[in-house]
């Protein structure tokens, strides 16, 4: 176990005395996702006690561009945190302020890049979202200059516009006056975790955790420090960077004016790493897949970063709480799929063939197969393992018999097939045959999709009772830092199965589906000719 149970030599995380949560005590997870801000309160059993959620605006100013208003990210996150605490108080029949939040855990959409003024806290431009492809030409130029190898060795990542470095560089180049101000130390850069920490602490703390920093292309994945050679390559002044802190540990205190009392921020992790933690994937070779806007498969590879030979990412899982006087870093291999639940949103909003995401299941189940039609949802290019910023969405194999039901089914299959591609690559990279996959996220509620996933993987898919594992992981990281849980064993005990989906395809049938899918993917590649 990378994050192990307490033992005699090390009865609990060092220096942390155990605390017991009273009946009115909670941990509050702030889960800032791509399409909504959520706040969830958990009790000491890891059960959801209250939840509030608010969607916010997505901005698409040009083809391939995706932006968020960082001020709206902050305001919606604060609103849902307050609403969640109100709900908790109401449940106890008590006045607001009488329930106690012992610690806050932050988890967030990763890579999304915010640049703001230190003096006023005002962003200098809209945040550039992880899905944004505007810096694809810059990445291509760096690749042509032979920089991809260096970048992969140092960061574990693939040179792609998905990550923060070229987004930050773009802001520094294109927003008037910003570069000089950044160099003068007037501006702060952060991913969404840093942005929330800055606001929650009233500008007193400028920090990011190692899991989020590992998504920037600027951190050396082994030393967990910003790397001068990478900063030079992307023209990033050191003065804008946050401090890198552990994922479990007290980072600062929330100003009393926000939530009624000073509360320690004790856990911070990128949403996919937090979900891996919340799924209790502490053993080497344990993996989870989260089906949200995108789909992200992460496998724990232990305390050393594995260099992928199959175009997967090596990433920091988390830098854990102090154990026996040291903090251990867990690394993961990751496969990132850009369009998963977003494909279902496109069926709803773009094509109008369903009224709600939940309807897709019945529609897709009304036909036995897709009639050999495939949908490749490369709407914002392709992530792992293809990494093609110029791929675009395509529907192939249409006939006069193709109906909206076939398209709905092809959309669900596409989500599962993209993940199946990653699963094979992960097995080859890690040299570990995965025996099951834990699943979570909004679209994991779809039983048909989960069955397809088991069929295409050839191993069981296991859905836990609590699918809010992203928020739960952040709560666990915070709770460990203040001594609510003693270690991994206590968390593992709280994980329980809702449903297990067994694979139902023969191996030749499974292989044939995957091969046919790869043919469809090939047809979507390199479509966008213009610079995004
Ligand atoms: N029953 C369903 N079947 C398929 N997709 C679904 C279903 N319910 C929700 N989704 C998709 O799941 C996504 C929402 O999941 P969530 O975990 O909240 O995402 P995020 O954190 O990325 O905002 C949406 O893209 C939605 O289309
Ligand atoms: O907001 P989500 O859940 O789709 O997650 C986004 C990822 O963190 C992007 O890397």
């Amino acid at each position: 176990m990378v994050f192990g149970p307490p033992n005699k030599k090390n009865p609990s995380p060092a220096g942390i005395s155990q605390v017991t949560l009273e009946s009115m005590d909670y941990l509050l997870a702030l889960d800032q996702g791509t399409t909504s801000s959520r706040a969830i309160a958990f009790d000491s059993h890891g059960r959801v006690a209250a939840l509030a959620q608010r969607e916010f605006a997505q901005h698409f100013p040009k083809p391939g561009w995706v932006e968020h208003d960082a001020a709206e990210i902050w305001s919606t996150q604060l609103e849902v945190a307050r609403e969640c605490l109100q709900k908790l108080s109401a449940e106890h029949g008590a006045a607001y302020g009488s329930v106690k939040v012992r610690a806050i855990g932050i988890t967030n959409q990763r890579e999304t890049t915010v640049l703001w003024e230190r003096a006023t806290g005002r962003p200098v431009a809209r945040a550039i979202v992880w899905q944004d492809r505007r810096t694809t030409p810059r990445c291509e130029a760096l690749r042509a200059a032979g920089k991809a190898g260096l970048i992969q060795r140092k960061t574990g990542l693939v040179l792609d516009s998905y990550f923060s470095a070229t987004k930050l560089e773009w802001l520094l180049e294109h927003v008037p006056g910003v570069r000089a101000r950044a160099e003068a130390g007037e501006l702060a850069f952060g991913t969404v975790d840093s942005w929330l920490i800055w606001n929650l602490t009233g500008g007193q703390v400028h920090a990011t955790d190692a899991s989020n920093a590992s998504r920037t292309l600027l951190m050396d994945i082994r030393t967990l420090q910003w790397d001068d050679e990478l900063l030079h390559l992307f023209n990033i002044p050191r003065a804008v960077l946050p401090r890198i802190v552990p994922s479990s540990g007290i980072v600062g205190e929330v100003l009393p004016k926000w939530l009624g009392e000073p509360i320690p921020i004790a856990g911070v992790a990128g949403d996919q790493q937090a979900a891996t933690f919340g799924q209790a994937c502490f053993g080497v070779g344990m993996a989870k897949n989260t089906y949200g806007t995108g789909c992200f498969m992460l496998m724990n590879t232990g305390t050393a970063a594995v260099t992928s030979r199959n175009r997967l990412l090596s990433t920091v899982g988390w830098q854990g709480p102090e154990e026996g006087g040291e903090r251990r870093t867990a690394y993961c291999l990751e496969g990132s799929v850009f369009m998963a639940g977003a494909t279902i949103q496109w069926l709803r909003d773009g094509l109008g063939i369903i009224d709600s995401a939940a309807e897709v299941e019945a529609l897709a189940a009304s036909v036995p197969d897709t009639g050999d039609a495939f949908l490749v949802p490369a709407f914002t290019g392709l992530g792992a393992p293809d990494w093609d910023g110029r791929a675009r969405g395509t529907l192939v194999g249409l006939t006069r018999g193709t109906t909206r039901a076939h398209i709905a089914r092809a959309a669900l299959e596409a989500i599962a097939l993209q993940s199946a591609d990653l699963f094979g690559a992960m097995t080859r990279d890690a040299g570990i045959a995965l025996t099951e996959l834990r699943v979570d996220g909004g679209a994991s509620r779809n039983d048909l999709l989960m069955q397809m996933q088991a069929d295409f993987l050839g191993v069981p898919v296991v859905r836990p009772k609590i699918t809010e594992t992203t928020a739960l992981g952040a709560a666990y990281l915070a709770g460990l830092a203040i001594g609510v849980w003693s270690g991994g064993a206590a968390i593992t005990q709280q994980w329980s199965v809702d449903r297990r989906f067994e694979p139902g395809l023969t191996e030749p049938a499974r292989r044939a589906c995957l091969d046919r899918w790869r043919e469809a993917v090939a047809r979507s590649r390199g479509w966008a000719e213009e610079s995004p």
Side-chain angles (χ1 to χ4, degrees), residues 167-218:
K167 298 181 194 295
L168 175 56
E169 186 186 34
W170 191 95
L171 287 172
L172 293 170
E173 294 298 323
H174 291 85
V175 182
V178 150
R179 179 166 288 283
R181 296 177 67 202
E183 276 161 9
E186 292 173 23
L187 304 181
F189 150 74
T191 40
V192 169
D193 55 322
S194 302
W195 171 240
L196 294 178
I197 293 169
W198 175 276
N199 281 288
L200 287 164
T201 62
Q204 287 169 36
V205 181
H206 184 208
T208 187
D209 93 296
S211 74
N212 274 294
S214 77
R215 314 295 298 185
T216 58
L217 285 179
L218 299 172

Side-chain angles (χ1 to χ4, degrees), residues 19 30 32 81 222 298 336 369 483 497:
V19 302
L30 305 183
Q32 207 302 305
R222 290 173 184 86
L298 272 78
S336 324
D369 55 45
V497 177

Side-chain angles (χ1 to χ4, degrees), residues 21 25 42 47 82 143 157 168 223 255 279 293 359 454 489 530:
L21 293 191
D25 288 356
F42 291 95
R47 292 181 300 221
R82 287 176 166 159
R143 196 169 300 115
L157 305 176
L168 175 56
T223 63
L255 294 186
Q279 286 270 27
T293 305
E359 275 178 29
E530 297 298 313

Side-chain angles (χ1 to χ4, degrees), residues 207-411:
T208 187
D209 93 296
S211 74
N212 274 294
S214 77
R215 314 295 298 185
T216 58
L217 285 179
L218 299 172
M219 188 188 81
D220 183 318
I221 193 174
R222 290 173 184 86
T223 63
L224 307 186
Q225 302 293 324
W226 301 121
D227 182 88
D228 282 324
E229 194 176 1
L230 295 171
L231 294 179
H232 180 73
L233 188 64
F234 293 107
N235 304 303
I236 308 294
R238 224 171 222 281
V240 299
L241 298 175
R243 184 162 57 94
I244 301 173
V245 298
S247 316
S248 184
I250 294 178
V251 183
E253 241 178 30
V254 175
L255 294 186
K257 70 174 177 183
W258 298 135
L259 299 175
E261 55 180 340
I263 305 169
I265 301 169
V268 185
D271 55 9
Q272 303 311 320
Q273 289 94 331
T276 312
F277 204 89
Q279 286 270 27
C281 289
F282 302 137
V284 173
M286 293 178 78
K288 71 87 204 178
N289 203 17
T290 300
Y291 301 79
T293 305
C295 202
F296 301 88
M297 190 184 293
L298 272 78
M299 179 173 87
N300 189 329
T301 58
T303 51
V306 170
T307 303
S308 174
R309 285 192 211 90
N310 295 290
R311 314 198 79 201
L312 298 178
L313 309 175
S314 207
T315 195
V316 171
W318 49 85
Q319 196 187 8
E322 255 189 54
E323 289 178 283
E326 58 170 322
R327 288 183 188 275
R328 282 190 286 177
T329 302
Y331 289 91
C332 293
L333 269 173
E334 172 175 326
S336 324
V337 167
F338 296 153
M339 289 289 147
T343 314
I344 308 306
Q345 285 171 347
W346 177 72
L347 296 183
R348 185 193 63 191
D349 307 334
L351 293 190
I353 64 173
I354 48 173
D355 290 326
S356 72
E359 275 178 29
V360 72
E361 187 166 357
L363 181 60
S366 69
V367 288
D369 55 45
T370 67
D372 202 28
F374 285 86
L375 167 63
V376 184
F379 302 125
T380 58
L382 287 170
D386 300 285
W387 297 107
D388 185 345
R390 295 180 187 274
R392 287 297 176 265
T394 187
L395 259 169
V396 288
L398 302 187
T399 67
R400 282 294 302 275
T402 306
T403 65
R404 64 192 191 103
H406 294 102
I407 293 174
R409 195 169 180 106

